[in-house]
Amino acid sequence: MQSEFAERRLAPVTDPATLRRAFGCHPSGVAAVCAELGGEPVGMAMSSFTSVSLDPPLVLVCADLASATWVRLRTAARIGVSILADAHDTAGTQLSRKHGDRFAGLAVSTSADGAVFLDGASVWLDCSIHEEVPAGDHVIALLRIESLSARPETDPLLFHGSRFRRIAAA
């Protein structure tokens, strides 16, 4: 009997679409990364988000170097990170768009320092940029958490296989 490894051959990475499909096999939460700039909310949805450190309190997001939104967000004094709840699939779609009003119809709150948060999110993190690290065609932004609010009872929105999903009750 052949092992699964013998049946499933590894192939060289030859194109971004194949790599994107492989990355899509890993489910992730969805973070809205937003700030108020020039009196208006600016933001984007990101599935490249993870916790990094408790001391100092750090999280990371990864932004495409070609992202015009990140170029603007990185100038903000404070950035709001909202971990989207399972009812935020519309918000996730809107904040992923390249053009148009990403905030149309979305309920948001803005801190005194200009961090923008989506109402109903399971977590709000009020962050400042700690460091940016180049990483291929992206930048890894380490964000220092200055303050937070968490509602762990709120189910998260997930991104898997290039679409939004919800956690199913066991």
Side-chain angles (χ1 to χ4, degrees), residues 30 43-46 91-99 102 159 164:
V30 183
M44 59 198 299
M46 301 178 119
T93 299
Q94 283 184 220
L95 291 168
S96 299
R97 292 183 183 147
K98 300 272 185 211
H99 305 288
R102 293 180 180 172
F159 191 70
F164 295 117

Side-chain angles (χ1 to χ4, degrees), residues 106-157:
L106 299 183
V108 299
S109 301
T110 305
S111 73
D113 292 325
V116 173
F117 304 99
L118 269 71
D119 292 357
S122 61
V123 176
W124 289 342
L125 303 174
D126 183 0
C127 299
S128 58
I129 293 180
H130 179 74
E131 183 178 358
E132 288 182 289
V133 180
D137 60 1
H138 279 63
V139 61
I140 299 169
L142 292 166
L143 306 177
R144 183 182 181 100
I145 303 167
E146 306 294 346
S147 59
L148 63 84
S149 174
R151 297 186 330 180
E153 71 281 1
T154 303
D155 285 340
L157 183 66

Side-chain angles (χ1 to χ4, degrees), residues 3-166:
S3 72
E4 181 180 2
F5 186 78
E7 293 173 14
R8 290 177 55 185
R9 301 210 181 259
L10 297 175
V13 178
T14 57
D15 67 287
T18 301
L19 189 56
R20 182 182 303 272
R21 194 175 90 240
F23 286 169
C25 292
H26 180 261
S28 62
V30 183
V33 181
C34 310
E36 186 177 78
L37 295 166
E40 67 179 31
V42 174
M44 59 198 299
M46 301 178 119
S47 59
S48 301
F49 167 89
T50 194
S51 57
V52 175
S53 171
L54 296 175
D55 186 19
L58 299 174
V59 295
L60 71 75
V61 295
C62 298
D64 191 315
L65 290 175
S67 170
T69 304
W70 180 251
V71 169
R72 294 184 66 200
L73 282 172
R74 67 187 302 277
T75 67
R78 290 289 177 86
I79 296 173
V81 176
S82 302
I83 304 303
L84 300 188
D86 63 358
H88 280 125
D89 50 340
T90 299
T93 299
Q94 283 184 220
L95 291 168
S96 299
R97 292 183 183 147
K98 300 272 185 211
H99 305 288
D101 182 359
R102 293 180 180 172
F103 290 88
L106 299 183
V108 299
S109 301
T110 305
S111 73
D113 292 325
V116 173
F117 304 99
L118 269 71
D119 292 357
S122 61
V123 176
W124 289 342
L125 303 174
D126 183 0
C127 299
S128 58
I129 293 180
H130 179 74
E131 183 178 358
E132 288 182 289
V133 180
D137 60 1
H138 279 63
V139 61
I140 299 169
L142 292 166
L143 306 177
R144 183 182 181 100
I145 303 167
E146 306 294 346
S147 59
L148 63 84
S149 174
R151 297 186 330 180
E153 71 281 1
T154 303
D155 285 340
L157 183 66
L158 298 179
F159 191 70
H160 177 260
S162 296
R163 65 182 206 229
F164 295 117
R165 300 176 189 254
R166 292 174 175 80

